[in-house]
Amino acid sequence: MSDKTLTRMDLSEAVFREVGLSRNDSATLVESVLDHISDALVRGEQVKISSFGTFSVREKSARVGRNPKTGEEVPINPRRVLTFRPSHLMKDRVAAGNRK
């Protein structure tokens, strides 16, 4: 596994190189796309990106958890969590990368 992390700056630099927009326009475009995705998820909508995967928000109900150290029961509040399901194409691509 690589220790490299893909950042917003990396994405905007890729847009700059591939599309030919200015660096400022590339950064603005990346920010705009990420804002649209975030806003849709906050509204509870699914975000499907073809050949990549689906982001969705799931409601988790309240439940009783247990502190593994002490064994004490602790209430866990209901919450919303972000989930990601990769597409089959993405799964295959990642699996092919493992064979190198």
Side-chain angles (χ1 to χ4, degrees), residues 27-87:
T28 301
L29 177 66
V30 169
E31 287 299 320
S32 177
V33 168
L34 294 175
D35 284 344
H36 277 69
I37 291 171
S38 298
D39 291 345
L41 292 168
V42 167
R43 291 189 301 268
E45 299 173 13
Q46 270 193 352
V47 177
K48 289 186 179 185
I49 302 174
S50 181
S51 301
F52 187 75
T54 303
F55 295 91
S56 58
V57 176
R58 200 178 107 203
E59 303 285 335
K60 293 187 92 173
S61 57
R63 60 190 173 94
V64 176
R66 191 176 313 275
N67 182 330
K69 194 170 190 177
T70 64
E72 177 186 358
E73 289 188 349
V74 181
I76 299 174
N77 296 327
R79 62 194 190 278
R80 297 170 69 193
V81 295
L82 179 64
T83 63
F84 174 72
R85 290 199 45 165
S87 72

Side-chain angles (χ1 to χ4, degrees), residues 6 49-55 84-99:
L6 183 67
I49 302 174
S50 181
S51 301
F52 187 75
T54 303
F55 295 91
F84 174 72
R85 290 199 45 165
S87 72
H88 290 293
L89 290 171
M90 181 57 67
K91 285 181 182 180
D92 294 344
R93 192 168 176 190
V94 170
N98 290 341
R99 291 187 211 123

